[in-house]
Amino acid sequence: MKKQEDDKLKGLFNEMSFTEPSKGFENRLMQQINIVAAEKQKKRSLRNAIYNVLAMIGGVLAIIALPVVVFRLSGINLADYNYSIKLPDMQIDPLWILMGFSVLVLLIGDTLMRTRLKKKQH
Amino acid sequence: MAELDDIYYINLIRGGDTNAFVYLVRRYQRMIFTIVAKIVNNTNDAEDITQEIFIKVFQSLDKFRGDAGFSTWLYRIAYNTAISEIRKNKSIHTSFEDHLSAVGEEVLSDAIDDISTEERLRYLDEVLNMLPPEDALLISLFYLNDHSVQDISVITGLGVSNVKVKLHRIRKFMNFEINKLISE
């Protein structure tokens, strides 16, 4: 009896026809989804940028801190050494340094431009 | 097979192919829209709620770990979103529990077979509207979508025995109300 009663109610539900959303629903929904995806991507890019900056700062700090720690642990005191970092003493032509620096700046600029162009094409 | 297809599209979406989401929309929109439309009785509101459900599914896709089937996971989001959206617009049925306790064990009358399908469906719609949204969704998922009690337990977050009790009480109430409508 109970089974029959359940089936009757189930039978009623089975008679129900499925309703379709309006024609433009799918397009409207996908537009919203694309907006949400763009926002998500923007947030992800910002988070990545923050991580990159933090990683760079960490790297620079490590470059400074590591020799300091190594020198301290090894008991080396730089003040005990007689050395000079003045260019005339090092016998390096400042022109070479300027040229090297210019090449480095050009390389960095080239890399940045290529990355931007690649992103635009994508 | 459907679950495997779902996983394939989920992986595409996670890989950045946002447009692959349309396949998941096409697979589930009919069922979700039908259930929501039965409860809110307004096509525009039902579309808004269905849209909200799919946006939440898209936003949470990274959290889907595959512990439960994708459809169960999707219906869980649908259930929670629909409940909160419907509650914003619909008054909560506080008297339902009192009313339910007054209803005895009742079997759906045989007279239901003598009335037209149109009339039967109208009665069903009316009675579904008398139920609180949670219960209307619960019974619709059980009968319309053929979910097992275990699946409904995962979807609603209720215990299995609690779901069974609720389904029993809802059926009792629906039988009583439909019989009442028939006799009127």
Side-chain angles (χ1 to χ4, degrees):
Chain A
M1 192 67 183
K2 177 109 179 64
K3 186 94 184 158
Q4 197 185 355
E5 164 218 326
D6 290 353
D7 286 343
K8 269 192 180 172
L9 204 54
K10 188 177 170 54
L12 261 183
F13 273 93
N14 284 344
E15 282 174 0
M16 248 186 203
S17 54
F18 286 92
T19 2
E20 294 275 359
S22 62
K23 266 191 174 178
F25 173 76
E26 196 179 288
N27 282 339
R28 281 200 308 275
L29 175 61
M30 285 314 289
Q31 270 176 8
Q32 288 295 318
I33 293 294
N34 280 316
I35 291 170
V36 171
E39 280 170 6
K40 218 174 167 182
Q41 184 59 38
K42 210 174 165 185
K43 273 185 191 168
R44 198 177 292 165
S45 302
L46 186 71
R47 202 170 46 223
N48 284 345
I50 291 169
Y51 286 154
N52 286 343
V53 169
L54 287 176
M56 273 167 66
I57 292 170
V60 170
L61 286 176
I63 287 169
I64 297 166
L66 273 172
V68 171
V69 172
V70 170
F71 281 15
R72 179 150 294 185
L73 286 176
S74 317
I76 300 167
N77 189 358
L78 289 177
D80 298 341
Y81 292 87
N82 188 20
Y83 66 94
S84 172
I85 54 163
K86 286 177 187 166
L87 285 180
D89 293 344
M90 290 170 80
Q91 292 175 332
I92 297 171
D93 192 341
L95 188 69
W96 283 107
I97 294 175
L98 193 68
M99 278 171 71
F101 187 69
S102 306
V103 169
L104 188 70
V105 168
L106 284 171
L107 274 171
I108 292 170
D110 179 62
T111 313
L112 286 175
M113 273 170 70
R114 276 173 197 270
T115 317
R116 179 154 288 195
L117 283 172
K118 206 175 171 184
K119 267 187 186 172
K120 263 190 182 173
Q121 270 180 350
H122 185 67
Chain B
M1 190 63 188
E3 281 288 328
L4 282 176
D5 282 354
D6 289 347
I7 301 294
Y8 170 74
Y9 290 121
I10 290 165
N11 287 336
L12 282 182
I13 299 159
R14 279 174 174 167
D17 185 0
T18 309
N19 290 330
F21 191 70
V22 80
Y23 296 100
L24 298 178
V25 172
R26 281 178 192 156
R27 194 193 300 279
Y28 294 103
Q29 67 175 354
R30 247 175 105 220
M31 182 57 79
I32 290 176
F33 180 74
T34 303
I35 294 176
V36 173
K38 286 285 165 213
I39 293 152
V40 295
N41 269 332
N42 179 320
T43 313
N44 289 335
D45 288 348
E47 279 191 2
D48 287 347
I49 294 171
T50 309
Q51 182 167 300
E52 194 60 39
I53 288 168
F54 278 109
I55 289 172
K56 282 214 173 137
V57 167
F58 180 79
Q59 284 173 326
S60 317
L61 220 49
D62 291 334
K63 291 177 199 156
F64 173 66
R65 288 168 303 178
D67 302 340
F70 176 71
S71 64
T72 311
W73 179 82
L74 182 136
Y75 281 114
R76 187 175 166 79
I77 293 179
Y79 177 83
N80 290 326
T81 312
I83 294 288
S84 60
E85 289 294 320
I86 292 165
R87 272 189 184 153
K88 281 182 200 165
N89 307 317
K90 218 176 180 181
S91 59
I92 299 163
H93 300 241
T94 45
S95 60
F96 179 71
E97 289 296 320
D98 300 336
H99 185 54
L100 200 62
S101 55
V103 174
E105 290 293 332
E106 194 136 352
V107 176
L108 209 56
S109 157
D110 286 335
I112 190 95
D113 299 325
D114 302 330
I115 54 177
S116 67
T117 311
E118 209 175 59
E119 197 85 331
R120 280 203 294 264
L121 290 177
R122 193 172 60 79
Y123 291 163
L124 183 62
D125 279 351
E126 272 184 45
V127 176
L128 272 177
N129 267 297
M130 289 178 194
L131 290 168
E134 294 93 335
D135 293 344
L137 280 171
L138 203 88
I139 198 80
S140 301
L141 284 170
F142 185 69
Y143 277 137
L144 202 59
N145 207 8
D146 272 337
H147 275 293
S148 67
V149 173
Q150 276 77 14
D151 278 349
I152 293 178
S153 164
V154 176
I155 291 168
T156 56
L158 300 168
V160 172
S161 50
N162 199 359
V163 171
K164 282 181 185 168
V165 171
K166 271 185 171 279
L167 283 171
H168 175 72
R169 296 177 78 182
I170 297 164
R171 277 196 294 249
K172 201 168 76 169
F173 173 80
M174 290 184 79
N175 288 340
F176 174 78
E177 289 297 334
I178 292 172
N179 284 345
K180 211 162 91 179
L181 286 169
I182 294 169
S183 61
E184 278 168 11

